[in-house]
Amino acid sequence: FVTLVGPAHAETWPAHPITIVVPFAAGGPSDAMARILAERMKQSLGEVILIENVTGAGGSIGVGRAVRAAPDGYTVSFGHLGTHVANGAIYKLGYDLVEDLEPVVLLPSNPMIIVSKNAVPAKSLKELLEWLKSRPAPPTAGTAGAGSGSHIAGLYFENVSGIKLQYVPYRGTGPALNDLVAGQIDIIVDQTSNSINQVRAGNIRAYAVTDSKRVANAPEVPTVDEAGLPGFHMTLWSGLWVPKGTPQEIVAKLNTAAIQALRDPAVKKQLENLGLQMPPQDQLKPEALGAWQKAEIAKWWPMIKAANVKVE
Ligand code: MLT
């Protein structure tokens, strides 16, 4: 159907609540970031912003929901390296991650962190790798589904360590982390923002962060370069998109509201407390996210396709 979405509509937008589709379960890192931003964006936009968690298939179900929504600015797609890059190399999506979405804004990022259940008798990454190699069957790694950021991080970990993992998919790494704390799975290569509080609480063990420098709010966790997996660098960035065809005036209003949120001192503090790093100030225009996404597709698809991920 053709939606009557034109300049007049853009003038009065937003005239009713906006929905941000988060393609992972409540309580995970995507959900946390989206809620923090939505809370502040609604002040600038003057409308309620609802978070809708639409999960499954590595986030591609939720992204598909947003792609097929009317291009009227009332449905926004939250996503990241997994959902808006990796999924395109794994699933027959029924939509095109670049052609069927308009980029709105690049959001904060964070390195991944290698964490294990407390029962693992390892005091360093080297000891963890030995323990993983000594398992009688492939050790279990929690993910948010094939193509999720935690899954891509697992594939990368397998490549650099030579250790085969048995992936255990969840609807998000919030639920996966609960099982790690309960000792049901062995490791997660998780977003630092998700695991950091459980590490601090002593409920799971952290071994390294996948960056060349330590995370400001977890200075005790070594980098992979220091700990024994040099060069295993991966930063998970997030972003907002809207369906293709959304009027540019609306994209601009959403972009402005998101930037205001990112520059709000209270929001910055909340995000940085989670170990999140602000996007570069010169990468905040909508087209910067578009260019970033295309570059990341070129960077990650070869490794992901080589992994030959089987999805039903
Ligand atoms: C992932 O890609 O691992 C997701 O971001 C997990 C989540 O947000 O729940």
Side-chain angles (χ1 to χ4, degrees):
F1 61 97
V2 178
T3 47
L4 301 178
V5 174
H9 168 86
E11 286 283 298
T12 58
W13 182 91
H16 61 72
I18 297 160
T19 297
I20 297 182
V21 177
V22 172
F24 297 107
S30 297
D31 186 65
M33 189 194 299
R35 287 178 195 275
I36 290 169
L37 291 170
E39 197 46 42
R40 178 62 183 75
M41 287 173 71
K42 75 179 186 187
Q43 293 168 29
S44 314
L45 294 170
E47 272 299 341
V48 166
I49 298 186
L50 305 167
I51 300 290
E52 194 178 348
N53 301 86
V54 180
T55 65
S60 58
I61 304 291
V63 176
R65 163 81 70 84
V67 162
R68 285 187 292 275
D72 58 9
Y74 289 107
T75 305
V76 179
S77 173
F78 180 100
H80 57 33
L81 166 60
T83 55
H84 286 70
V85 170
N87 281 352
I90 292 174
Y91 298 97
K92 287 192 177 27
L93 292 172
Y95 55 87
D96 185 290
L97 283 170
V98 173
E99 298 311 318
D100 294 331
L101 286 161
E102 302 271 0
V104 173
V105 69
L106 178 66
L107 295 176
S109 62
N110 62 154
M112 307 306 276
I113 188 167
I114 303 169
V115 288
S116 80
K117 62 186 181 185
N118 267 347
V120 173
K123 298 270 180 300
S124 69
L125 181 58
K126 278 193 171 30
E127 288 179 17
L128 174 71
L129 297 178
E130 284 316 310
W131 185 83
L132 292 170
K133 283 176 189 152
S134 70
R135 296 300 84 208
T140 51
T143 74
S148 65
S150 42
H151 176 238
I152 301 313
L155 292 179
Y156 194 176
F157 175 83
E158 286 186 293
N159 285 353
V160 295
S161 67
I163 297 168
K164 185 98 193 76
L165 298 173
Q166 170 62 56
Y167 294 109
V168 182
Y170 294 80
R171 293 190 163 278
T173 45
L177 189 61
N178 292 339
D179 265 8
L180 188 73
V181 169
Q184 301 300 325
I185 50 176
D186 296 323
I187 65 166
I188 306 178
V189 188
D190 193 10
Q191 289 171 68
T192 309
S193 59
N194 192 48
S195 285
I196 195 67
N197 290 331
Q198 292 293 1
V199 171
R200 284 201 198 111
N203 295 330
I204 56 175
R205 289 170 190 247
Y207 298 90
V209 289
T210 63
D211 203 347
S212 54
K213 55 192 181 314
R214 296 193 177 200
V215 173
N217 68 333
E220 75 283 10
V221 183
T223 67
V224 283
D225 303 319
E226 295 168 304
L229 279 177
F232 175 32
H233 296 164
M234 174 178 169
T235 302
L236 193 101
W237 50 273
S238 294
L240 294 179
W241 287 260
V242 287
K244 193 77 178 174
T246 302
Q248 283 308 310
E249 303 89 327
I250 294 177
V251 172
K253 285 183 181 177
L254 275 168
N255 174 275
T256 300
I259 293 173
Q260 281 169 346
L262 291 174
R263 288 181 175 152
D264 179 297
V267 170
K268 254 170 78 69
K269 191 160 168 31
Q270 277 183 286
L271 295 172
E272 284 167 352
N273 274 349
L274 290 172
L276 288 159
Q277 296 146 2
M278 292 299 135
Q281 289 303 304
D282 63 352
Q283 299 288 323
L284 293 176
K285 286 276 155 254
E287 54 273 20
L289 173 61
W292 189 285
Q293 181 187 14
K294 288 189 184 112
E296 290 281 281
I297 286 172
K299 174 179 173 184
W300 289 97
W301 275 23
M303 178 196 82
I304 298 165
K305 288 184 180 247
N308 237 339
V309 177
K310 294 277 170 289
V311 284
E312 295 71 57

